[in-house]
Amino acid sequence: MSQAAVIFRQKALPNKWFQAACIAALVFVIYFFTSKGSTNFDQYVRLADAFLHGRLYLVNAPSWLELARDGEKGFVINPPAPTLFLIPWVAIWGLSTNQVIISMLVGAVAVGFFWVAATQLGWDFWFRVAMTVLVAFGTNFWWGATEGSIWMLAHVSAVFFLMAALVETTGKNRPWLIGILVGLAGLSRLPVFLTFPFFAYTVTKGSNQQWRTILSRLAMLGFALAVMGALYLAYNYGRFGTISDMGYYDPLISSEPYFPKGHNDISYIPRHINAILFYVPVRIEEFPFFKPSFMGLGLFFTTPALLYMFRARLNERLALAALGGLLLTSIPTLTYAVEGWAQFGYRYSLDYLPFMVLLVASGMRYRLNCFAIAIIVLSCGINLWGTLMGI
């Protein structure tokens, strides 16, 4: 065996980052061959181009794009962080940049990050494999990454930064960096700012820390998050002349019948409970005889493996913290007027995907058995069907 082969076998193969890169490459290939190729809702490409030209708005944008419009100006409603992935490519390819390709790349790297975090959590090799497969192919993250529209790229971007924060908090655990990463996740999907209690726990975990150390680490996390939040307020001010987010208060959007009591109200919660639990496939005449409903598919129909969350051991502090992050992050979406609209699965669940997987791992007791493998395979089959059938 050559020296290079020995070095590769002893140094590269066991390296978690090398393994993550290989996983990300494989995931991207599968995503690529199961994607629809492009999207008409490429606001982030256009926003990246606007940033490169010193503007916060689009000019003469196509009529089908959901924007807050002011004459010829069109303001992208969604938060701006996903443009970070697009700016380098738009600088080269301009408006011809394929947003879906970037979405798949970001999604694939997010899966690689999960592998690293699972390794740092000390999970068994085959359990890590199973959980990584579940993230990549057993949830509607697969569909979201390959769909690549503005809404789904926002979710994929949020998952990317949450997975990166999970890597950091299971590794070097630097509060300031975790705060930046969680802030970038929040600047992809605003509800994700509410994941901070989970990371507040993880940056202070350990019984040997003094109160001064704990408070210092929480202060660093909080300051970094505050800076990221302030950046969003400044972005709003630059767009609308006020720190308030006026995007969805465009008269054309606010006047739609989906908002009878404003954008958020507790009366909307039953809509989401119905979407999470009871949305089912639609019967069709030809093979495979069922297709996803345009409005979505119940969370546990989409990913049956998520039922393991109900077996999670809440006496485990990490699982309890994950549950807290999940519940708090879900509040803004559960009270939002729209359940996700055109989607496969319940797309808002992607805002807390890492926490659901941590709870599933706890529910499986961090080991595999025949039933756990079968339900993961079933989840992957359902999501293959959903990704290929589309909406």
Side-chain angles (χ1 to χ4, degrees), residues 122-358:
W123 293 353
D124 169 80
F125 176 81
W126 287 111
F127 188 74
R128 272 182 278 153
V129 170
M131 291 296 100
T132 303
V133 168
L134 179 64
V135 170
F137 305 114
T139 70
N140 61 345
F141 187 68
W142 186 356
W143 170 79
T146 57
E147 201 268 347
S149 66
I150 180 173
W151 304 281
M152 297 317 304
L153 179 54
H155 284 294
V156 171
S157 176
V159 172
F160 174 96
F161 288 117
L162 282 179
M163 292 300 190
L166 194 60
V167 168
E168 178 63 25
T169 203
T170 56
K172 294 183 179 179
N173 204 18
R174 292 163 287 191
W176 63 270
L177 182 54
I178 294 169
I180 291 173
L181 292 169
V182 175
L184 287 169
L187 290 176
S188 304
R189 285 278 306 161
L190 291 178
V192 180
F193 271 112
L194 296 177
T195 61
F196 74 89
F198 172 84
F199 295 99
Y201 161 71
T202 58
V203 300
T204 60
K205 66 180 183 292
S207 59
N208 296 325
Q209 293 185 15
Q210 300 296 319
W211 277 108
R212 181 175 296 178
T213 304
I214 291 173
L215 292 176
S216 174
R217 293 178 66 81
L218 286 175
M220 284 190 283
L221 174 68
F223 179 75
L225 279 170
V227 169
M228 302 306 290
L231 287 175
Y232 187 66
L233 298 182
Y235 178 62
N236 286 338
Y237 189 82
R239 294 189 295 170
F240 306 122
T242 172
I243 62 173
S244 299
D245 185 350
M246 302 302 293
Y248 271 110
Y249 289 88
D250 179 275
L252 290 176
I253 296 174
S254 296
S255 63
E256 291 182 355
Y258 311 107
F259 305 98
K261 295 186 178 180
H263 291 76
N264 289 87
D265 190 87
I266 60 173
S267 65
Y268 300 142
I269 293 177
R271 299 181 181 183
H272 290 270
I273 298 300
N274 187 42
I276 291 169
L277 296 180
F278 303 117
Y279 279 7
V280 296
V282 176
R283 183 81 166 84
I284 57 176
E285 294 300 322
E286 64 276 6
F287 182 84
F289 308 114
F290 291 95
K291 69 175 183 179
S293 165
F294 180 79
M295 295 298 292
L297 185 68
L299 187 62
F300 303 107
F301 291 115
T302 306
T303 305
L306 293 179
L307 289 167
Y308 270 100
M309 291 193 296
F310 297 106
R311 295 185 71 240
R313 291 175 169 173
L314 298 184
N315 59 345
E316 296 175 4
R317 292 184 178 181
L318 187 67
L320 185 60
L323 179 62
L326 184 159
L327 293 175
L328 189 59
T329 307
S330 68
I331 291 173
T333 49
L334 286 174
T335 59
Y336 186 57
V338 180
E339 309 96 289
W341 197 236
Q343 61 184 338
F344 173 69
Y346 179 68
R347 68 178 177 90
Y348 292 141
S349 65
L350 293 174
D351 290 345
Y352 36 84
L353 175 63
F355 306 138
M356 293 195 298
V357 177
L358 289 175

Side-chain angles (χ1 to χ4, degrees), residues 28-112:
F28 175 76
V29 169
I30 295 172
Y31 281 0
F32 181 83
F33 284 106
T34 55
S35 76
K36 66 178 186 179
S38 63
T39 179
N40 289 325
F41 300 101
D42 61 348
Q43 284 97 316
Y44 280 128
V45 168
R46 297 171 186 274
L47 184 59
D49 181 72
F51 287 169
L52 288 169
H53 288 87
R55 291 182 277 106
L56 299 179
Y57 55 86
L58 313 187
V59 177
N60 296 321
S63 59
W64 64 80
L65 297 182
E66 183 182 72
L67 301 168
R69 297 180 185 266
D70 180 13
E72 294 183 350
K73 297 179 180 179
F75 295 97
V76 174
I77 295 168
N78 304 67
T83 58
L84 294 173
F85 302 110
L86 285 154
I87 285 174
W89 304 103
V90 173
I92 300 170
W93 301 110
L95 294 179
S96 63
T97 302
N98 189 326
Q99 185 172 288
V100 175
I101 295 291
I102 306 305
S103 175
M104 292 187 290
L105 280 170
V106 174
V109 175
V111 175

